[in-house]
Amino acid sequence: MKNVTRTVDDGVPEWARIEAARGGRSVSRMVGRMLSEAVYQESADALDDLRTSPCDARLAQERSP
């Protein structure tokens, strides 16, 4: 794992501490999970885009009897 240092707007650190405490985890773990979920979602969206591309639809038509 890598450490990441970022600058955030005033109020964000307090919000993050409160949200992390509500979830029973550290701010670092919460932010790491949020970033991982964002990357996963972006990857899933990209795959969905590929599956629904016009090229994919054309290939499906060509393969059907």
Side-chain angles (χ1 to χ4, degrees):
M1 283 200 186
K2 300 257 181 187
N3 288 329
V4 177
T5 302
R6 302 300 320 156
T7 301
V8 295
D9 293 333
D10 295 342
V12 172
E14 183 179 357
W15 172 87
R17 282 191 293 276
I18 291 167
E19 289 300 310
R22 284 182 183 161
R25 62 179 69 102
S26 69
V27 171
S28 293
R29 185 168 294 224
M30 181 186 74
V31 171
R33 177 177 241 169
M34 291 169 70
L35 291 172
S36 294
E37 288 173 358
V39 168
Y40 175 79
Q41 185 60 51
E42 187 173 310
S43 297
D45 290 346
L47 285 174
D48 286 343
D49 289 346
L50 286 174
R51 289 185 187 119
T52 59
S53 70
C55 181
D56 189 46
R58 191 185 79 234
L59 289 174
Q61 285 179 338
E62 290 173 359
R63 291 181 185 156
S64 65

